[in-house]
């Protein structure tokens, strides 16, 4: 004898398997497996009704007797008949081969059809296109960096004369100080190291004489002896100072690969620095005289500036002769 089922909301006995109470219409939270072939739906609200239910427990409308059947619509399609290509079914000698149908969902065990591995692999055309694209990118970058069509594009040194007349230095500069100086022609080599060092030493002596002459001219202008052109003297002092600075830079670039003239090069650098310090003081003294209405009025300031570099004059005179370079023995 089946045990009656009691509704937990109203306490009345309900039929076993009912999803809702027919009295209070409360859900009984019962899961029931129904066969769709025998299922019945309410024609009003569409609720699923259990077999044998006489009234819809959701909306209360009487249920129709028996399950509702699916409505089928007949489509009067024309008969295509024989196309003359394949032939009628009577002309076929056997059962035609069924077309291969592959599922778009991969199987659970990881196996697939023979063509699936090939379908997921890149085509050879894709490999060829990627390789060609990489070659074009790398080759274009290489050409952009090396620019073989213009070999001189990467040369940073000056190759054309520059007009420096508006920059305080008269004339044209054919090459910048510090550029490599090599003789032209086959088997070009750098000049002999000793000859270059000896020439630099001689040029330092000439520049020291020019500094002394400029200093004497300035003292004469401040003392009132003669009619000196202060502006011209200032330009000459600046030109000598520029020559001294360029000579010091050239000395630093002299080639002494074997180190035979290392001491001579160091001595030349020291002489050049002493002379440049004198040039700085001389230029400053000329500027003081040029700014004054009468150079004699600033004679004391000019003399004080020149005397501040007296020690460099003394050191240069004491060591210039003894530091003359000598050719190293072969």
């Amino acid at each position: 004898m089946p045990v009656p089922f009691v509704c937990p909301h109203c306490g009345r006995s309900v039929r076993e398997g009912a999803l809702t109470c027919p009295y209070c219409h409360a859900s009984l939270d019962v899961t029931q497996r129904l066969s769709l072939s025998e299922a019945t739906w309410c024609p009003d609200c569409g609720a699923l009704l259990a077999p044998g239910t006489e009234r819809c427990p959701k909306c209360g409308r009487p249920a129709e007797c028996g399950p509702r059947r699916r409505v089928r619509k007949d489509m009067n399609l024309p008969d295509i008949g024989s196309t003359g290509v394949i032939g009628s079914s009577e002309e076929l000698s056997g059962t035609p081969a069924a077309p291969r149908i592959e599922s778009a969902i991969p199987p659970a065990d990881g196996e697939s059809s023979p063509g699936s591995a090939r379908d997921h692999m890149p085509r050879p055309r894709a490999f060829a296109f990627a390789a060609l694209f990489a070659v074009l990118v790398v080759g274009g970058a290489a050409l952009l960096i090396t620019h073989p069509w213009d070999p001189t594009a990467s040369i940073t040194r000056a190759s054309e004369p520059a007009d420096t007349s508006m920059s305080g230095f008269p004339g044209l500069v054919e090459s910048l100080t510090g550029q490599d100086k090599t003789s032209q022609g086959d088997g070009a080599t750098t000049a002999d190291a000793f000859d270059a060092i000896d020439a630099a030493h001689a040029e330092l002596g000439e520049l020291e004489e020019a500094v002394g002459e400029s200093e004497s001219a300035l003292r004469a202008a401040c003392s009132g002896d003669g009619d000196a052109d202060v502006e011209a003297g200032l330009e000459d002092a600046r030109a000598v100072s520029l020559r001294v600075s360029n000579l010091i830079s050239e000395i630093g670039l002299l080639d002494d690969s074997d180190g035979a003239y290392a001491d001579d090069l160091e001595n030349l650098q020291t002489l050049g620095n002493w002379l440049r310090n004198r040039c700085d003081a001389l230029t400053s003294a000329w500027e003081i005289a040029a700014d004054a209405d009468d150079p004699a009025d600033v004679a004391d300031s000019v003399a004080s500036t020149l005397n501040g570099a007296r020690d460099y004059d003394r050191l240069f005179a004491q060591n210039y002769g003894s530091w003359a370079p000598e050719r190293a023995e072969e």
Side-chain angles (χ1 to χ4, degrees):
M1 181 176 180
V3 179
F5 185 76
V6 178
C7 175
H9 299 281
C10 64
R12 297 187 180 184
S13 298
V14 297
R15 181 177 54 84
E16 183 181 1
L19 300 178
T20 58
C21 179
Y23 304 103
C24 64
H25 305 291
S27 176
L28 300 178
D29 296 333
V30 177
T31 301
Q32 184 178 10
R33 185 174 181 179
L34 302 177
S35 175
L36 294 180
S37 59
E38 302 177 356
T40 303
W41 287 268
C42 177
D44 188 19
C45 65
L48 180 62
L49 304 179
T53 303
E54 298 179 356
R55 184 177 297 274
C56 176
K58 185 175 183 181
C59 64
R61 179 175 177 175
E64 296 181 357
C65 298
R68 298 182 62 184
R69 301 296 180 182
R70 179 181 300 178
V71 178
R72 296 180 179 271
K73 184 177 180 180
D74 294 334
M75 301 179 65
N76 297 326
L77 299 177
D79 187 9
I80 298 177
S82 177
T83 60
V85 179
I86 300 178
S88 60
S89 59
E90 291 81 1
E91 297 175 357
L92 298 177
S93 58
T95 304
R100 181 169 66 93
I101 301 176
E102 297 183 3
S103 174
I105 303 177
D109 55 0
E111 297 180 356
S112 59
S113 62
S116 62
R118 183 178 66 255
D119 294 339
H120 293 286
M121 291 182 60
R123 297 291 189 269
R125 184 182 303 173
F127 281 113
F129 179 77
L132 179 61
F133 181 76
V135 170
L136 291 177
V137 171
V138 176
L143 290 177
L144 184 61
I145 295 174
T146 58
H147 39 75
W149 56 86
D150 187 10
T152 62
S154 59
I155 299 178
T156 57
R157 59 187 179 89
S159 58
E160 297 180 0
D163 185 6
T164 59
S165 59
M166 302 300 294
S167 302
F169 187 82
L172 296 176
V173 177
E174 297 291 340
S175 62
L176 298 179
T177 301
Q179 290 185 359
D180 49 338
K181 298 181 179 180
T182 57
S183 59
Q184 302 296 328
D186 298 336
T189 57
T190 58
D192 182 75
F194 174 77
D195 294 340
I197 293 174
D198 187 59
H201 182 268
E203 188 173 358
L204 280 174
E206 297 175 358
L207 292 174
E208 195 276 334
E209 293 178 1
V211 171
E213 294 175 358
S214 179
E215 182 176 341
S216 299
L218 177 58
R219 292 182 183 275
C222 292
S223 62
D225 298 339
D227 188 11
D229 188 354
V230 179
E231 294 295 336
L234 177 59
E235 292 298 327
D236 292 340
R238 289 174 176 174
V240 173
S241 179
L242 181 61
R243 290 177 58 190
V244 172
S245 298
N246 289 340
L247 180 58
I248 293 175
S249 299
E250 292 177 0
I251 293 174
L253 297 174
L254 292 179
D255 184 17
D256 183 30
S257 57
D258 54 359
Y261 300 101
D263 293 338
D264 293 329
L265 291 175
E266 183 178 357
N267 293 336
L268 290 180
Q269 288 280 0
T270 303
L271 292 174
N273 291 330
W274 287 340
L275 188 58
R276 181 166 54 185
N277 291 335
R278 282 191 63 193
C279 290
D280 293 342
L282 178 63
T283 303
S284 299
W286 274 108
E287 291 175 350
I288 294 174
D291 292 339
D293 296 335
D294 185 2
D297 297 338
V298 292
D300 294 339
S301 298
V302 170
S304 177
T305 303
L306 293 176
N307 293 335
R310 184 65 61 185
D311 291 339
Y312 300 117
D313 183 17
R314 177 179 54 82
L315 291 173
F316 189 95
Q318 291 177 354
N319 296 279
Y320 178 77
S322 61
W323 283 358
E326 298 181 358
R327 185 181 297 275
E329 297 181 359
E330 299 292 341

